[in-house]
Amino acid sequence: MLTTKIGIVQINNSFSNQNYLPYSGGLLQGFAQKYLSNKDTFEFLLPIYKRIPISLAVSALLDADIVIFSVYVWNFRISLEIAKQIKENKSEAIIVFGGPQVPNKETDVFLRSNPFIDIACHGEGEMVVLSILENFHQREWAKVPSISYINGNGKFIQTSLYGRISNLNTIPSPYLIGVFDSLMKANQKVEWLALWETNRGCPFSCTYCDWGAATKNKIYAYDTERLFNEIDWFSKNRIEFVFCCDANFGILERDIEIVEYLAENKRRYGYPKAFSIQSAKKFTERVYKMYGILSDAGLNKGVSLSLQSINEDTVRDTKRKNMPIETFKEVQQRLTSNNIETFTDLILGLPNETYKSFADGASIVIGSGQHNRIQFNNLSILPNAEMGDSEYQRKFGFDIIETKIINIHGSLDSTEEVYEIQKLVVGTNTMPKADWVKARVFGWMTALLHFDKLLQVPFVIVHKMYGVSFRNLIEIFTDNDKFPLLNSIYSFFVKKAIDIQNGGLEFCESKKWLNIWWPADELMLIELCTGNKLAEFYKEAEDIISCYLQSKKLLDYQSVLRESILLNQNLIKLPFQNGDIEMVLSYNIWDVYCASLRGIKIPLQKGKYCYKIERSTTVWLSWEDWCRKVVWYGNKKGAYIYDCKSLQSN
C-alpha cells in the first residue's frame, strides 16, 4: 500500500532567531500516530512553523497528499494563500483548515469563498483529524464528526459536533514522544520557544473572546506527572521561554506544585528562564504564593490584572466577571509590596463605554495603585466570539474597519508577501468616532506622561496632596495651544488616531530608531529625548499644571510642584550619563512617592531632604542602545527612571 504523506502548517510569530515549536500541530500528529489503525501507511512531513516565502512553503508541501492548517488571526491569510497555491499545483491534495479562525457560523460562505479548502474543522482537532485520516482513502467525509465541506453535488454539509476530550491524558505529549525531534535536528541554529497547556477550558464567556465559547466552559486537566516530565524536557532542551496557553492558570489547586517544579528546574538547570501565563481571575492565597514563587525564581513575566473595563454597563454586556475595584486595589498593593510587577489591560471601544467612562476607568485604575503599565488595547473582532455576530454589532452600533496587523516592535524590513488583517472597532453608539479618537489620544497621553514616567512623580504627589484625579491631570495636556511643544504632542496623537480610524496601522514606523514599529507614546518619548526637548517639555509641563492648580484656587503648591518635576526630570534614564546626582529638596517628595506606589500613606513634610540618583550602575553609549534596552525592553517594567536613595533628612 502506498504511503500517505501528511503536511502540517502552524505558522507562529518569530522573534529574530527565536521560534515557537508548532504545538497544536504536534498534538494532532502525536494523537494520530498513536491511534491510527493503519499508522504505518502514513508519513508526517516536517511542519511549516514560521513565515517563509510562500513559494518555499508550497514546494515543501507538494509531496503531501493531505495538508492540515491550524489558523488564527496572525497566520490566516498566508495560510489561505499557501493552501490555494498547493491546490493549483496539485489538485488532488486534500486541504484541511482548523483552528479558531475557521468560522462556526456561515461556514458555507467561508468554504465557497475559498473553494481550494476541502474540509473545515470545528472544535478540538485531535479526534477530528484522526477520523479524517481514517476515512482518507474512501473520502467518506460524512462519517467524520465536527467538520463542514461542500460535497460533489455542490451541497454544503456539516456533520454533528464531537464532544470535548474529557481525559486529556489520552493525548500524547508531542514533547515527550519525540514529535519535534526531527524538526529541531533540521533547524539546529533556531532558539526554540514552547507553547504549553496544563489544562483546557475557560469558565468565562466574555463576548469579545472566543476562548470560553470554544471550550464550553468546563475545565479538564492533564496529569501532574506528565506536566513535570514536560518541564524536564524544556530544561533538557534549553527552552528559554514557555508560554502557557491556559485561559486561567492558577485556577486549580495543583498549579502551585507546577510553579514550584518550574522554579526548582530553573535553579538546577537554568531553564526555562521565563514563564508567561494568563492568570486566574480570582486571587486566592494560592495565587499570591504562586506569583511569589515565580518572581523569586526570576520566571515572572508580569502579572496581568486585567479588567478590560470597569464600567458596569460594559462589564454586563460583555459578560465579563471582574474583581471589584477595591479587591483590585488590595491585590495591586499586596503584589507591589512584594516587588511583583503587574500590568492591567483596558480595551478601547467596548459596548456601552463612553469617553468619560473610559477615561474615568483608567484614572481609577491608576488611583488604585497601577503605576507600572496599563495596556490600552484596541478592540478587535474575532469570528467565533459572540461579538463577531452581526446582530451584536448592530445592537451596539459598532463602526468597524479592516487594517493590517503589524507586530509591536516588528522590523520595517519585513518582506511579507501577504499581510494579516484584523477588524478593529473605531466607534460605537456610545463612543462616536470623534470620542474614540479622544479616548485613543487619552490612552497614549496617559502612557507617555504616567507609565513612561515623564511626569509620574508630580502626578502622584499632586494627586495625593491636592486630590486632583489622574484623569484631570492627563486631560490638561490635551488640546491646549498655549503650550507649543505639548500641543505638538497632542496633535501627533490625534493624527495617528484618525489614521487608524481610516484603516491605518496601529503603530508608528521609524527608520531612524531601530527601523521598527513603535507604539505612539514610545516614539514620542524617543523624539523628546533624542531631540533635546526635555527641558522645554518640563518647563511647559510645570506651567500647565500650575495654571490648572491656580484655576482651582489651590494654595502653596508652587515649590512642591517645582521640586517634584525637577526630581522627575533628573530620574529619567538617558544615555551618556555616568555620574550620580545628589539633590537637596525642601520636601520628602521621593519618600512620599515611593510609599504611594505601595499604597502606604506618609505625610509630605518640609525640611532638608537629600537624595542620591544612581546613574553609574548602567550606562548606554548610544541612543540606539538606549532605545532598545530602556524604551523597548523596559516597556512593561517601568524601567524609564533611575534608582534613587535617601541619604539624610531632618
Side-chain angles (χ1 to χ4, degrees):
M1 183 179 289
L2 293 175
T3 300
T4 300
K5 295 184 178 181
I6 305 166
I8 290 181
V9 182
Q10 183 192 342
I11 298 172
N12 295 314
N13 288 329
S14 300
F15 309 91
S16 184
N17 193 42
Q18 296 181 314
N19 291 271
Y20 281 105
L21 288 161
Y23 179 66
S24 296
L27 290 168
L28 300 178
Q29 179 176 335
F31 195 82
Q33 287 176 331
K34 180 173 182 178
Y35 295 108
L36 274 168
S37 57
N38 50 352
K39 64 187 71 176
D40 293 337
T41 65
F42 289 93
E43 175 188 348
F44 284 87
L45 306 178
L46 288 182
I48 304 297
Y49 64 91
K50 66 176 182 177
R51 298 179 86 89
I52 59 175
I54 292 171
S55 60
L56 293 181
V58 173
S59 177
L61 293 165
L62 282 180
D63 281 346
D65 301 294
I66 178 171
V67 184
I68 301 166
F69 291 81
S70 176
V71 292
Y72 209 1
V73 64
W74 54 74
N75 66 15
F76 185 52
R77 284 165 58 87
I78 191 173
S79 297
L80 287 173
E81 187 59 32
I82 292 171
K84 179 182 178 182
Q85 292 192 28
I86 290 172
K87 202 71 166 181
E88 289 172 350
N89 286 275
K90 189 176 182 179
S91 59
E92 68 272 22
I94 297 298
I95 304 296
V96 179
F97 265 55
Q101 206 67 13
V102 173
N104 291 327
K105 295 181 179 180
E106 300 183 355
T107 317
D108 185 359
V109 175
F110 169 72
L111 288 171
R112 295 189 191 280
S113 299
N114 301 285
F116 48 86
I117 299 176
D118 296 290
I119 299 172
C121 302
H122 308 281
E124 289 177 322
E126 288 87 0
M127 287 296 300
V128 181
V129 167
L130 174 64
S131 184
I132 290 173
L133 295 179
E134 292 282 18
N135 289 279
F136 178 77
H137 296 296
Q138 295 77 25
R139 302 294 200 274
E140 294 180 348
W141 306 135
K143 295 182 178 180
V144 179
S146 298
I147 66 168
S148 300
Y149 63 97
I150 307 295
N151 70 11
N153 298 320
K155 182 180 179 182
F156 172 71
I157 305 294
Q158 186 161 6
T159 63
S160 58
L161 294 177
Y162 194 90
R164 287 180 59 204
I165 301 173
S166 58
N167 183 3
L168 295 183
N169 299 296
T170 61
I171 306 172
S173 166
Y175 299 116
L176 302 180
I177 67 171
V179 167
F180 300 129
D181 290 357
S182 297
L183 177 65
M184 296 173 74
K185 185 176 181 180
N187 298 274
Q188 294 185 27
K189 294 184 179 180
V190 172
E191 297 175 22
W192 294 106
L193 313 174
L195 300 165
W196 190 46
E197 57 182 1
T198 73
N199 66 61
R200 287 184 186 178
C202 179
F204 305 104
S205 302
C206 306
T207 63
Y208 47 79
C209 179
D210 53 15
W211 221 328
T215 57
K216 305 298 187 297
N217 300 331
K218 178 72 173 177
I219 295 177
Y220 298 114
Y222 291 98
D223 281 349
T224 305
E225 182 179 359
R226 168 203 175 111
L227 300 176
F228 286 175
N229 290 334
E230 288 180 322
I231 294 170
D232 288 340
W233 188 93
F234 299 146
S235 299
K236 177 182 176 181
N237 288 276
R238 302 171 70 87
I239 303 297
E240 290 199 8
F241 179 74
V242 177
F243 183 91
C244 182
C245 303
D246 298 0
N248 298 276
F249 185 82
I251 200 169
L252 302 179
E253 288 187 12
R254 64 81 184 271
D255 290 348
I256 193 72
E257 300 175 44
I258 294 172
V259 297
E260 288 174 338
Y261 201 90
L262 279 161
E264 179 60 26
N265 270 33
K266 170 80 178 290
R267 284 188 285 270
R268 292 177 62 188
Y269 308 113
Y271 293 89
K273 293 185 179 297
F275 181 56
S276 180
I277 63 175
Q278 286 69 234
S279 64
K281 307 301 183 285
K282 185 176 181 181
F283 273 74
T284 61
E285 286 300 317
R286 179 179 67 254
V287 173
Y288 282 118
K289 183 179 179 182
M290 179 184 77
Y291 277 121
I293 294 169
L294 290 173
S295 183
D296 290 344
L299 285 162
N300 182 32
K301 294 296 290 182
V303 178
S304 173
L305 299 181
S306 295
L307 295 170
Q308 316 306 357
S309 172
I310 64 170
N311 177 35
E312 291 184 4
D313 292 339
T314 300
V315 171
R316 180 196 65 224
D317 285 322
T318 57
K319 300 180 181 178
R320 173 82 182 176
K321 294 181 180 179
N322 274 344
M323 67 177 82
I325 197 65
E326 284 303 315
T327 302
F328 172 89
K329 188 174 182 178
E330 293 171 9
V331 171
Q332 178 67 56
Q333 180 178 339
R334 184 168 176 180
L335 292 173
T336 302
S337 297
N338 288 287
N339 296 314
I340 299 174
E341 295 169 351
T342 73
F343 62 94
T344 300
D345 288 328
L346 293 178
I347 298 178
L348 173 61
L350 289 172
N352 286 320
E353 196 83 85
T354 64
Y355 167 77
K356 180 180 183 303
S357 68
F358 181 79
D360 282 342
S363 180
I364 291 169
V365 169
I366 297 171
S368 298
Q370 181 51 275
H371 298 289
N372 190 53
R373 174 67 54 178
I374 293 178
Q375 295 183 162
F376 295 99
N377 300 312
N378 298 320
L379 175 58
S380 178
I381 301 295
L382 300 173
N384 290 323
E386 184 178 344
M387 202 170 279
D389 183 74
S390 57
E391 182 56 37
Y392 187 101
Q393 295 167 18
R394 282 192 293 271
K395 177 180 178 181
F396 296 105
F398 282 1
D399 198 323
I400 301 172
I401 55 98
E402 289 190 346
T403 182
K404 293 178 182 177
I405 296 176
I406 300 294
N407 290 329
I408 184 172
H409 302 130
S411 172
L412 298 183
D413 291 334
S414 174
T415 56
E416 295 290 351
E417 297 172 84
V418 176
Y419 278 95
E420 303 302 332
I421 298 295
Q422 62 183 334
K423 294 182 177 182
L424 295 183
V425 175
V426 295
T428 69
N429 54 13
T430 56
M431 187 183 284
K433 293 180 73 173
D435 283 358
W436 185 92
V437 169
K438 192 176 176 183
R440 181 62 272 183
V441 170
F442 181 89
W444 284 324
M445 194 67 79
T446 302
L448 176 68
L449 302 180
H450 195 75
F451 296 114
D452 297 348
K453 304 296 194 293
L454 279 181
L455 288 171
Q456 191 174 103
V457 174
F459 274 15
V460 168
I461 296 298
V462 169
H463 171 73
K464 174 180 173 59
M465 299 306 302
Y466 307 111
V468 181
S469 73
F470 288 100
R471 173 187 169 183
N472 288 343
L473 284 169
I474 293 158
E475 284 183 332
I476 62 177
F477 285 82
T478 62
D479 200 14
N480 195 323
D481 56 11
K482 293 181 180 179
F483 300 91
L485 180 58
L486 298 181
N487 194 54
S488 70
I489 296 171
Y490 168 73
S491 298
F492 171 76
F493 288 155
V494 169
K495 182 178 179 181
K496 183 58 185 175
I498 293 173
D499 177 56
I500 294 174
Q501 214 168 46
N502 291 327
L505 304 176
E506 285 190 281
F507 305 114
C508 304
E509 66 174 332
S510 176
K511 294 180 180 179
K512 183 177 182 180
W513 302 117
L514 304 185
N515 199 43
I516 63 175
W517 296 98
W518 291 98
D521 65 292
E522 291 182 7
L523 183 58
M524 180 52 62
L525 175 68
I526 292 170
E527 295 295 338
L528 289 173
C529 294
T530 61
N532 198 29
K533 297 178 181 178
L534 282 182
E536 181 183 358
F537 169 83
Y538 281 109
K539 174 64 170 65
E540 289 191 4
E542 182 178 345
D543 289 345
I544 200 170
I545 297 173
S546 182
C547 287
Y548 177 81
L549 297 178
Q550 187 177 22
S551 72
K552 297 299 179 182
K553 295 182 171 43
L554 295 169
L555 303 174
D556 301 325
Y557 61 82
Q558 289 90 345
S559 57
V560 174
L561 176 62
R562 184 172 298 111
E563 289 196 351
S564 297
I565 288 179
L566 179 62
L567 176 60
N568 204 137
Q569 183 174 356
N570 281 287
L571 284 167
I572 297 297
K573 290 181 176 178
L574 295 172
F576 319 115
Q577 296 179 332
N578 55 11
D580 297 341
I581 291 180
E582 292 188 9
M583 298 184 66
V584 179
L585 302 180
S586 303
Y587 298 91
N588 58 334
I589 289 171
W590 179 253
D591 305 286
V592 173
Y593 166 74
C594 291
S596 295
L597 297 191
R598 297 176 179 275
I600 301 170
K601 295 181 179 180
I602 66 172
L604 185 71
Q605 295 179 330
K606 191 173 178 60
K608 181 180 179 181
Y609 295 89
C610 302
Y611 299 108
K612 181 180 181 180
I613 299 174
E614 298 182 336
R615 290 174 163 180
S616 56
T617 53
T618 306
V619 179
W620 299 276
L621 300 179
S622 70
W623 282 111
E624 289 75 15
D625 193 37
W626 173 84
C627 284
R628 179 177 289 105
K629 294 179 180 177
V630 176
V631 184
W632 177 0
Y633 296 170
N635 176 262
K636 288 183 181 178
K637 298 181 179 179
Y640 303 114
I641 59 176
Y642 290 104
D643 290 330
C644 181
K645 293 184 178 179
S646 299
L647 296 179
Q648 62 184 38
S649 62
N650 70 320

